[in-house]
Amino acid sequence: MIDFQATDSRPALIGMSYDDLLALCAQGGVKSSHADTLRAHIFRYGNQDVQAIPELPQDFYRFLNEHTTRMHPALSASQQAEDGTFKLLLRMNDGKEIETVLIPSKGRLTQCISTQIGCAVGCTFCLTATGGLTRNLSTAEMVGQIFAAQEYTGQKPRNLVLMGMGEPMHNYDAVCRFVRIASDPKGMALAPKRITISTAGHVPGIKRMIEDDLPCNLALSLNASEDATRNRIMPINRRWPIAEVLEWMQRFATAGKKRVLIEYVLLADVNDSDADAHRLNLLLRDLPCTINLLPFNDFPGSAFKRPSAQRVLSFRDILGRASQVVVVRQSRGRDISAACGQLRTEIRQKRMAATAA
Ligand code: SF4
């Protein structure tokens, strides 16, 4: 199936996998080798202008113009932090806006991709959750975030993390196609080990990733060491509790022979005690994983607080003493709207204030 835009029934070229391009060539009555030309120009050179793609039959140009469209997210706003982190607010073809974050490190760029506009999962510490879900993003809208970032920074991202707005497993088919496009060695050619899908713990999605042998890594946003706390801050836990999710993380690691990533947002006096760290050690003792500790980025109106630096180090040391591979992620871009969804919320509030004035 070819990916369709929300406001235009014609598919966008940047949302098409190689198989889709082959199908397009068949529909257009041209040789399948033209799919290779399209793939190289669209994904390697970032060229969506059909007329500028050489070596295609004349009739096929007309066919492409009639049957496909462009997806080019427009830049609504941007912020740059002192540490070089960028946050971009991008407007889709239907006027809806999403965020993408770009984190430079040692000359390389990591991009945080959004997979939905809003989110239905309802984690209580998350700003994006407060607005609920508006709609899924198409594959083209995800690929468009990469091209927009490249245009803005002049640099192609080296790492992609699907940890922006949304739960990727709730938009699995579009995400799956996105991963295949991004990792296609003859297209965008990002290394599969540099693409990571992050889930709040959606077990059917993890199962599908294993069945589909999706070429990417998997991260679990765990954020609690016991079900009672996780039920409270991540309602998805009531459906798939910690033991069940970790069992499927283990299966993913075994099937792909790779480490998984465990993300743990540290919330002061909620999940950051020494007892939590000891319980976490027990939970993760047999899972080949790297633990990322993320001190909470508070935002106006949030009911949660960031733990002290001392508490974070104490938590980290307990994990480290149990031989866990643990990293405290520096909060990048703290001097800008660092929480996920914050820039979008602030811009909307400013617009509403300007309208009311
Ligand atoms: Fe959705 Fe992620 Fe926010 Fe949870 S943390 S509500 S999964 S965007």
Side-chain angles (χ1 to χ4, degrees):
M1 286 289 291
I2 290 173
D3 187 31
F4 285 91
Q5 293 301 297
T7 55
D8 188 337
S9 61
R10 292 177 300 163
L13 282 169
I14 61 169
M16 291 191 192
S17 66
Y18 183 60
D19 284 346
D20 295 331
L21 293 174
L22 286 171
L24 193 70
C25 288
Q27 272 174 280
V30 298
K31 288 186 294 188
S32 60
S33 60
H34 292 303
D36 296 82
T37 307
L38 286 172
R39 172 168 63 178
H41 279 270
I42 297 163
F43 297 111
R44 201 174 310 151
Y45 312 132
N47 184 5
Q48 279 199 69
D49 180 0
V50 168
Q51 291 310 128
I53 300 177
E55 303 156 16
L56 297 176
Q58 277 310 316
D59 284 352
F60 195 45
Y61 285 112
R62 269 194 297 279
F63 176 86
L64 290 174
N65 280 325
E66 278 170 23
H67 293 90
T68 67
T69 188
R70 287 170 66 114
M71 157 39 61
H72 192 85
L75 186 65
S76 289
S78 64
Q79 287 183 330
Q80 184 175 10
E82 282 172 10
D83 63 12
T85 299
F86 290 97
K87 189 170 249 202
L88 306 182
L89 187 67
L90 301 175
R91 195 171 57 253
M92 302 293 122
N93 286 358
D94 65 354
K96 300 278 190 303
E97 289 174 320
I98 55 108
E99 290 183 3
T100 186
V101 178
L102 297 145
I103 305 159
S105 176
K106 297 179 187 150
R108 315 279 193 191
L109 210 54
T110 295
Q111 183 170 15
C112 184
I113 301 281
S114 289
T115 56
Q116 296 183 300
I117 302 178
C119 185
V121 173
C123 304
T124 54
F125 55 85
C126 172
L127 181 59
T128 297
T130 55
L133 175 69
T134 301
R135 69 168 171 85
N136 283 336
L137 290 176
S138 67
T139 301
E141 289 170 324
M142 292 178 226
V143 176
Q145 293 172 55
I146 301 178
F147 286 133
Q150 222 167 312
E151 204 171 285
Y152 190 78
T153 61
Q155 194 182 346
K156 182 179 166 184
R158 189 189 196 216
N159 302 296
L160 298 179
V161 288
L162 282 73
M163 292 180 190
M165 299 167 68
E167 163 56 55
M169 303 304 191
H170 283 175
N171 189 14
Y172 182 84
D173 290 337
V175 164
C176 179
R177 187 190 277 106
F178 170 78
V179 169
R180 296 207 187 281
I181 289 173
S183 61
D184 183 343
K186 293 185 175 166
M188 294 191 110
L190 274 116
K193 66 178 181 191
R194 301 202 173 280
I195 304 172
T196 303
I197 291 181
S198 172
T199 178
H202 189 276
V203 165
I206 301 173
K207 284 184 193 171
R208 285 190 70 186
M209 282 181 74
I210 297 170
E211 284 160 14
D212 294 344
D213 194 18
L214 208 57
C216 63
N217 297 319
L218 178 61
L220 170 68
S221 187
L222 183 58
N223 308 329
S225 66
E226 54 187 353
D227 283 320
T229 306
R230 199 164 194 265
N231 285 344
R232 196 155 48 88
I233 60 174
M234 300 184 75
I236 194 170
N237 195 70
R238 291 179 204 139
R239 179 71 182 81
W240 296 290
I242 292 174
E244 188 177 352
V245 179
L246 289 180
E247 185 195 323
W248 280 96
M249 294 299 286
Q250 180 81 53
R251 290 190 194 197
F252 180 91
T254 305
K257 297 188 181 60
K258 52 190 167 193
R259 301 180 80 77
V260 293
L261 192 67
I262 299 293
E263 295 155 359
Y264 197 99
V265 176
L266 285 160
L267 306 163
D269 303 323
V270 175
N271 62 2
D272 65 340
S273 68
D274 288 355
D276 281 302
H278 288 298
R279 273 194 296 269
L280 202 54
N281 276 335
L282 279 178
L283 283 173
L284 303 179
R285 71 187 156 190
D286 296 325
L287 183 68
C289 66
T290 299
I291 306 169
N292 266 355
L293 297 179
L294 306 121
F296 179 60
N297 268 329
D298 35 17
F299 53 85
S302 162
F304 299 95
K305 293 271 175 290
R306 185 183 180 86
S308 68
Q310 187 51 44
R311 183 89 296 275
V312 173
L313 291 182
S314 171
F315 198 94
R316 181 203 64 182
D317 289 347
I318 293 170
L319 299 181
R321 282 200 292 276
S323 306
Q324 300 284 5
V325 181
V326 54
V327 179
V328 178
R329 278 245 304 266
Q330 301 298 326
S331 286
R332 304 293 303 265
R334 284 212 84 211
D335 52 323
I336 58 173
S337 310
C340 176
Q342 196 173 345
L343 176 59
R344 179 168 167 255
T345 305
E346 283 176 7
I347 296 280
R348 282 163 83 180
Q349 283 168 348
K350 277 184 197 159
R351 283 182 195 143
M352 279 161 69
T355 312

